[in-house]
Amino acid sequence: MPEPLNSPTVPLLVTTDLPPDTDLAEFGRVVADAVRTLTCEEGVSHEGFLRGGVFWLDPPRPGGPGAAPVAAGELRFAALIGHLSVPGMRATAREVAARARKVITRAVAARYGDLGSPAAVLAIRAEDVGERTPPSAVVVATGGAAAEPAVAVRAYA
């Protein structure tokens, strides 16, 4: 079993289907703010800070004259890739990702309703954050977080 970290910083990938007119920056804020408070198994809460980039994974819908209309209920695939820092939480990367998954899934469902499947939240390689985040990604971060986690995440980003 991996050794728990005292102040884990976990690279994360969050993906979900969203309505095609969704504001990506808003989606990013929903995800980033969801991890503001993470609770460990002992019931102790820890402040989390997520900084990352949010973007569409699928190509934009064709528009203009003669374009086929978007079917009602058709969704687009969005992603957020970033680093989640949780100072003071003694947990493995897998445990941090599992706790983040719970709060992110609830927050996305509360904001966007039942989209057919829950958001996927996965721990990824640190290298993937830089390699897989496109230059066009909208940067988002947890609002109102303490300075310490923010500094830790900026060091990784």
Side-chain angles (χ1 to χ4, degrees), residues 6 9 24 44-45 63 66 68 76 79 114 129 143 154:
N6 283 326
T9 296
L24 280 179
V44 177
S45 294
R76 290 191 66 190
D114 180 12
V129 176
R154 279 194 199 103

Side-chain angles (χ1 to χ4, degrees), residues 8-65:
T9 296
V10 179
L12 284 182
L13 165 65
V14 179
T15 63
T16 192
D17 290 320
L18 293 172
D21 59 345
T22 299
D23 177 340
L24 280 179
E26 178 190 9
F27 166 66
R29 285 190 302 275
V30 167
V31 172
D33 289 346
V35 298
R36 180 177 290 123
T37 303
L38 295 176
T39 305
C40 62
E41 289 182 13
E42 298 81 29
V44 177
S45 294
H46 296 273
E47 185 174 19
F49 182 83
L50 176 66
R51 180 178 171 84
V54 62
F55 52 95
W56 294 113
L57 281 170
D58 58 0
R61 297 288 196 274

Side-chain angles (χ1 to χ4, degrees), residues 9 51 83 149-157:
T9 296
R51 180 178 171 84
H83 290 97
V151 169
V153 170
R154 279 194 199 103
Y156 281 91

